Amino acid sequence: MRIAIIGTGNVGSVLGRRLGEKGHEITFISRSSTGDRAQQLSSLPGVAGVLTSLSQLDSPVPAVIYAGPYDQAQQILADAGDLADAVLIDCTNPLNRTFDGLQLGHTESAGEKMAQWVTNGRVVKAFNTTSVATMADPTYGEHTATQFFCGDDPDAKKAVASLIRDLGMEPVDAGPLSNSRYLEATAMLYIHLAVRGGWGGNCALKMLKRTVD
Ligand SMILES: NC(=O)c1ccc[n+]([C@@H]2O[C@H](COP(=O)([O-])OP(=O)(O)OC[C@H]3O[C@@H](n4cnc5c(N)ncnc54)[C@H](OP(=O)(O)O)[C@@H]3O)[C@@H](O)[C@H]2O)c1
Protein backbone atom coordinates (compact mmCIF):
# COMPACT_ATOMS: atom_id res chain seq x y z
CA MET A 1 0.00 0.00 0.00
CA ARG A 2 1.16 3.56 -0.66
CA ILE A 3 1.43 5.32 2.69
CA ALA A 4 2.38 8.90 3.52
CA ILE A 5 3.81 9.51 6.98
CA ILE A 6 3.61 13.00 8.45
CA GLY A 7 6.54 13.45 10.85
CA THR A 8 9.96 11.83 10.77
CA GLY A 9 10.57 11.65 14.52
CA ASN A 10 10.66 8.56 16.74
CA VAL A 11 7.29 7.12 15.69
CA GLY A 12 7.21 8.19 12.04
CA SER A 13 10.69 6.92 11.25
CA VAL A 14 10.28 3.51 12.87
CA LEU A 15 6.84 2.89 11.34
CA GLY A 16 8.12 4.03 7.95
CA ARG A 17 11.20 1.84 8.15
CA ARG A 18 9.29 -1.27 9.21
CA LEU A 19 6.36 -0.83 6.82
CA GLY A 20 8.80 -0.15 3.98
CA GLU A 21 10.61 -3.38 4.83
CA LYS A 22 7.25 -5.18 4.61
CA GLY A 23 6.69 -4.05 1.02
CA HIS A 24 4.66 -0.86 1.49
CA GLU A 25 5.62 2.27 -0.44
CA ILE A 26 6.40 5.00 2.04
CA THR A 27 6.61 8.75 1.46
CA PHE A 28 7.65 10.86 4.42
CA ILE A 29 6.17 14.34 4.82
CA SER A 30 8.67 16.44 6.71
CA ARG A 31 9.39 20.11 7.39
CA SER A 32 12.68 19.48 5.58
CA SER A 33 13.11 17.36 2.46
CA THR A 34 16.84 18.02 2.16
CA GLY A 35 19.87 17.27 4.32
CA ASP A 36 21.34 14.17 5.91
CA ARG A 37 18.17 13.07 7.69
CA ALA A 38 16.02 13.18 4.54
CA GLN A 39 18.74 11.40 2.58
CA GLN A 40 19.05 8.69 5.23
CA LEU A 41 15.27 8.11 5.24
CA SER A 42 15.10 8.11 1.42
CA SER A 43 17.64 5.30 1.25
CA LEU A 44 15.55 2.93 3.39
CA PRO A 45 13.87 -0.04 1.64
CA GLY A 46 10.42 0.86 0.32
CA VAL A 47 10.85 4.60 0.83
CA ALA A 48 9.86 6.59 -2.25
CA GLY A 49 11.13 9.89 -0.88
CA VAL A 50 10.71 12.80 1.50
CA LEU A 51 8.40 15.68 0.60
CA THR A 52 7.44 18.82 2.47
CA SER A 53 3.74 18.59 1.68
CA LEU A 54 1.11 15.99 0.83
CA SER A 55 0.15 18.15 -2.14
CA GLN A 56 3.51 17.28 -3.76
CA LEU A 57 2.44 13.63 -4.18
CA ASP A 58 1.79 12.60 -7.80
CA SER A 59 -1.56 11.14 -6.78
CA PRO A 60 -3.48 10.75 -3.51
CA VAL A 61 -2.41 7.92 -1.19
CA PRO A 62 -4.89 5.52 0.44
CA ALA A 63 -3.35 5.92 3.90
CA VAL A 64 -1.72 8.73 5.86
CA ILE A 65 -0.07 8.17 9.23
CA TYR A 66 -0.05 11.26 11.43
CA ALA A 67 3.07 10.94 13.62
CA GLY A 68 3.47 14.61 14.47
CA PRO A 69 2.79 16.51 17.69
CA TYR A 70 -0.81 16.81 18.88
CA ASP A 71 -0.46 20.53 19.63
CA GLN A 72 0.29 21.36 15.98
CA ALA A 73 -2.11 18.81 14.46
CA GLN A 74 -4.92 21.21 13.58
CA GLN A 75 -2.59 23.44 11.56
CA ILE A 76 -0.69 20.53 9.98
CA LEU A 77 -3.95 18.86 8.89
CA ALA A 78 -5.24 22.16 7.52
CA ASP A 79 -2.04 22.50 5.49
CA ALA A 80 -2.42 18.88 4.32
CA GLY A 81 -5.69 19.82 2.58
CA ASP A 82 -8.14 17.29 1.16
CA LEU A 83 -7.10 13.72 1.95
CA ALA A 84 -9.36 12.29 -0.79
CA ASP A 85 -10.97 9.70 1.51
CA ALA A 86 -7.62 8.33 2.75
CA VAL A 87 -7.41 6.48 6.04
CA LEU A 88 -5.81 8.85 8.54
CA ILE A 89 -4.01 6.90 11.25
CA ASP A 90 -3.72 9.05 14.35
CA CYS A 91 -0.82 8.10 16.62
CA THR A 92 -1.00 11.13 18.90
CA ASN A 93 -1.35 11.42 22.63
CA PRO A 94 -2.57 14.84 23.82
CA LEU A 95 -0.04 15.14 26.65
CA ASN A 96 0.14 18.23 28.85
CA ARG A 97 3.25 20.40 29.03
CA THR A 98 4.80 18.35 31.85
CA PHE A 99 4.09 15.00 30.13
CA ASP A 100 2.37 13.66 33.24
CA GLY A 101 -1.26 14.03 32.22
CA LEU A 102 -3.63 14.56 29.31
CA GLN A 103 -4.95 17.90 28.05
CA LEU A 104 -8.38 16.41 27.39
CA GLY A 105 -10.39 13.28 28.07
CA HIS A 106 -13.65 11.77 29.37
CA THR A 107 -15.85 13.65 26.89
CA GLU A 108 -13.40 14.31 24.05
CA SER A 109 -10.12 12.99 22.65
CA ALA A 110 -7.34 13.75 20.22
CA GLY A 111 -8.75 11.09 17.89
CA GLU A 112 -12.11 12.87 17.71
CA LYS A 113 -10.42 16.27 17.29
CA MET A 114 -8.41 14.88 14.36
CA ALA A 115 -11.69 13.77 12.74
CA GLN A 116 -13.00 17.35 13.09
CA TRP A 117 -9.82 18.90 11.70
CA VAL A 118 -9.11 16.61 8.74
CA THR A 119 -10.69 17.25 5.35
CA ASN A 120 -12.07 14.07 3.79
CA GLY A 121 -10.06 11.55 5.83
CA ARG A 122 -11.29 8.48 7.73
CA VAL A 123 -9.62 8.58 11.13
CA VAL A 124 -8.43 5.47 12.91
CA LYS A 125 -6.61 5.81 16.21
CA ALA A 126 -3.68 3.41 16.47
CA PHE A 127 -0.06 3.10 17.59
CA ASN A 128 -0.58 5.46 20.53
CA THR A 129 -0.42 2.80 23.27
CA THR A 130 2.93 1.26 22.34
CA SER A 131 6.47 2.51 22.71
CA VAL A 132 8.81 3.07 19.80
CA ALA A 133 10.90 0.14 21.07
CA THR A 134 7.83 -2.10 20.72
CA MET A 135 7.00 -0.71 17.28
CA ALA A 136 10.56 -1.62 16.27
CA ASP A 137 10.29 -5.12 17.75
CA PRO A 138 6.87 -6.22 19.03
CA THR A 139 7.95 -9.71 20.14
CA TYR A 140 8.11 -10.48 23.86
CA GLY A 141 9.09 -14.13 24.24
CA GLU A 142 6.06 -16.20 23.19
CA HIS A 143 3.84 -13.09 23.00
CA THR A 144 3.40 -10.36 20.43
CA ALA A 145 2.36 -6.90 21.64
CA THR A 146 -1.27 -5.91 21.38
CA GLN A 147 -2.00 -2.91 19.18
CA PHE A 148 -5.36 -1.34 19.99
CA PHE A 149 -7.13 0.65 17.31
CA CYS A 150 -10.51 2.35 17.09
CA GLY A 151 -12.51 4.19 14.46
CA ASP A 152 -15.91 4.57 12.86
CA ASP A 153 -15.25 3.32 9.30
CA PRO A 154 -15.16 -0.52 9.04
CA ASP A 155 -13.05 -0.58 5.84
CA ALA A 156 -10.54 1.89 7.27
CA LYS A 157 -10.26 -0.25 10.39
CA LYS A 158 -9.69 -3.38 8.29
CA ALA A 159 -6.83 -1.66 6.47
CA VAL A 160 -5.24 -0.57 9.74
CA ALA A 161 -5.62 -4.04 11.28
CA SER A 162 -3.78 -5.42 8.26
CA LEU A 163 -0.91 -2.93 8.70
CA ILE A 164 -0.71 -3.86 12.40
CA ARG A 165 -0.42 -7.54 11.47
CA ASP A 166 2.29 -6.69 8.92
CA LEU A 167 4.24 -5.11 11.79
CA GLY A 168 3.99 -8.34 13.77
CA MET A 169 1.57 -7.03 16.38
CA GLU A 170 -1.82 -8.35 17.43
CA PRO A 171 -4.60 -5.95 16.34
CA VAL A 172 -7.41 -5.50 18.85
CA ASP A 173 -10.48 -3.57 17.69
CA ALA A 174 -11.29 -1.16 20.54
CA GLY A 175 -14.56 0.10 19.08
CA PRO A 176 -15.70 3.49 17.76
CA LEU A 177 -13.45 6.52 17.37
CA SER A 178 -14.89 8.00 20.58
CA ASN A 179 -13.05 5.22 22.43
CA SER A 180 -9.88 7.20 21.65
CA ARG A 181 -10.74 8.73 25.04
CA TYR A 182 -9.87 5.40 26.64
CA LEU A 183 -6.93 4.54 24.36
CA GLU A 184 -5.34 7.91 25.14
CA ALA A 185 -5.89 7.35 28.88
CA THR A 186 -4.40 3.87 28.50
CA ALA A 187 -1.36 5.44 26.81
CA MET A 188 -1.03 7.83 29.75
CA LEU A 189 -0.94 4.88 32.14
CA TYR A 190 1.67 3.22 29.92
CA ILE A 191 3.78 6.39 29.86
CA HIS A 192 3.57 6.65 33.64
CA LEU A 193 4.73 3.05 34.06
CA ALA A 194 7.49 3.40 31.45
CA VAL A 195 8.85 6.77 32.58
CA ARG A 196 8.07 6.99 36.30
CA GLY A 197 7.35 3.39 37.22
CA GLY A 198 10.73 2.04 36.13
CA TRP A 199 9.45 -0.21 33.33
CA GLY A 200 11.21 1.65 30.50
CA GLY A 201 10.17 1.38 26.85
CA ASN A 202 10.80 -2.33 26.44
CA CYS A 203 7.44 -3.39 27.78
CA ALA A 204 4.06 -3.67 26.08
CA LEU A 205 0.36 -4.12 26.74
CA LYS A 206 -1.14 -7.52 25.94
CA MET A 207 -4.75 -8.73 25.90
CA LEU A 208 -4.86 -12.35 27.05
CA LYS A 209 -7.84 -14.63 26.58
CA ARG A 210 -8.71 -18.15 27.67
CA THR A 211 -11.52 -20.52 26.88
CA VAL A 212 -13.81 -21.37 29.80
CA ASP A 213 -15.97 -24.54 29.65
N1 LIG B 1 7.53 8.39 21.33
C1 LIG B 1 6.67 7.42 21.59
O1 LIG B 1 7.04 6.38 22.20
C2 LIG B 1 5.24 7.51 21.14
C3 LIG B 1 4.45 6.36 21.20
C4 LIG B 1 3.14 6.42 20.75
C5 LIG B 1 2.62 7.61 20.27
N2 LIG B 1 3.40 8.75 20.25
C6 LIG B 1 2.80 9.97 19.70
O2 LIG B 1 3.23 10.03 18.35
C7 LIG B 1 3.48 11.38 17.96
C8 LIG B 1 4.93 11.51 17.52
O3 LIG B 1 5.76 11.19 18.62
P1 LIG B 1 7.33 11.16 18.45
O4 LIG B 1 7.89 10.59 19.68
O5 LIG B 1 7.67 10.53 17.14
O6 LIG B 1 7.65 12.71 18.39
P2 LIG B 1 8.93 13.40 17.74
O7 LIG B 1 10.08 12.47 17.78
O8 LIG B 1 9.03 14.73 18.37
O9 LIG B 1 8.50 13.56 16.21
C9 LIG B 1 7.44 14.38 15.80
C10 LIG B 1 7.73 14.84 14.39
O10 LIG B 1 6.65 15.66 13.96
C11 LIG B 1 7.14 16.54 12.95
N3 LIG B 1 6.67 17.91 13.18
C12 LIG B 1 5.92 18.63 12.32
N4 LIG B 1 5.66 19.84 12.80
C13 LIG B 1 6.26 19.92 13.99
C14 LIG B 1 6.37 20.95 14.96
N5 LIG B 1 5.77 22.14 14.79
N6 LIG B 1 7.09 20.70 16.07
C15 LIG B 1 7.68 19.50 16.26
N7 LIG B 1 7.60 18.48 15.36
C16 LIG B 1 6.91 18.70 14.23
C17 LIG B 1 8.65 16.49 13.02
O11 LIG B 1 9.08 15.80 11.86
P3 LIG B 1 9.81 16.64 10.70
O12 LIG B 1 11.00 17.27 11.36
O13 LIG B 1 10.14 15.62 9.71
O14 LIG B 1 8.83 17.66 10.21
C18 LIG B 1 8.97 15.68 14.25
O15 LIG B 1 10.12 14.90 14.11
C19 LIG B 1 3.15 12.25 19.17
O16 LIG B 1 1.87 12.77 19.01
C20 LIG B 1 3.22 11.28 20.35
O17 LIG B 1 2.33 11.66 21.37
C21 LIG B 1 4.70 8.72 20.67
Side-chain angles (χ1 to χ4, degrees):
M1 184 193 280
R2 291 173 65 229
I3 303 170
I5 301 183
I6 300 176
T8 63
N10 300 304
V11 172
S13 60
V14 77
L15 289 180
R17 175 176 62 75
R18 294 218 51 230
L19 289 168
E21 285 168 359
K22 292 290 173 185
H24 297 282
E25 184 188 308
I26 307 299
T27 301
F28 286 104
I29 310 298
S30 174
R31 289 167 297 177
S32 171
S33 62
T34 55
D36 290 350
R37 175 94 181 128
Q39 222 162 28
Q40 196 187 5
L41 291 170
S42 297
S43 67
L44 293 173
V47 174
V50 181
L51 305 174
T52 54
S53 157
L54 275 178
S55 65
Q56 293 170 341
L57 286 163
D58 293 341
S59 57
V61 287
V64 176
I65 297 178
Y66 183 85
Y70 171 72
D71 287 343
Q72 278 76 34
Q74 184 170 13
Q75 186 58 55
I76 291 171
L77 289 178
D79 294 344
D82 192 323
L83 260 53
D85 206 33
V87 179
L88 177 66
I89 303 171
D90 167 31
C91 307
T92 66
N93 283 310
L95 299 180
N96 64 15
R97 287 185 190 283
T98 45
F99 300 104
D100 58 358
L102 297 173
Q103 298 174 28
L104 69 173
H106 300 295
T107 56
E108 55 183 355
S109 63
E112 291 161 282
K113 292 280 188 192
M114 300 290 274
Q116 289 167 19
W117 295 334
V118 72
T119 304
N120 212 4
R122 294 172 288 157
V123 177
V124 176
K125 184 101 204 170
F127 302 117
N128 73 309
T129 55
T130 41
S131 66
V132 169
T134 296
M135 293 177 204
D137 178 5
T139 305
Y140 287 82
E142 64 185 290
H143 296 298
T144 53
T146 290
Q147 184 59 67
F148 298 106
F149 64 98
C150 67
D152 293 333
D153 184 293
D155 289 336
K157 286 170 77 168
K158 262 187 219 156
V160 174
S162 174
L163 292 178
I164 291 169
R165 272 187 219 98
D166 287 349
L167 290 166
M169 300 183 201
E170 179 207 21
V172 170
D173 185 341
L177 188 63
S178 57
N179 280 357
S180 297
R181 299 166 193 183
Y182 312 125
L183 292 192
E184 290 162 19
T186 301
M188 193 62 244
L189 172 65
Y190 178 91
I191 292 165
H192 173 83
L193 292 171
V195 177
R196 293 184 172 77
W199 285 75
N202 280 295
C203 64
L205 301 172
K206 179 72 185 171
M207 287 295 288
L208 298 172
K209 186 178 184 178
R210 66 183 164 205
T211 308
V212 180
D213 297 332

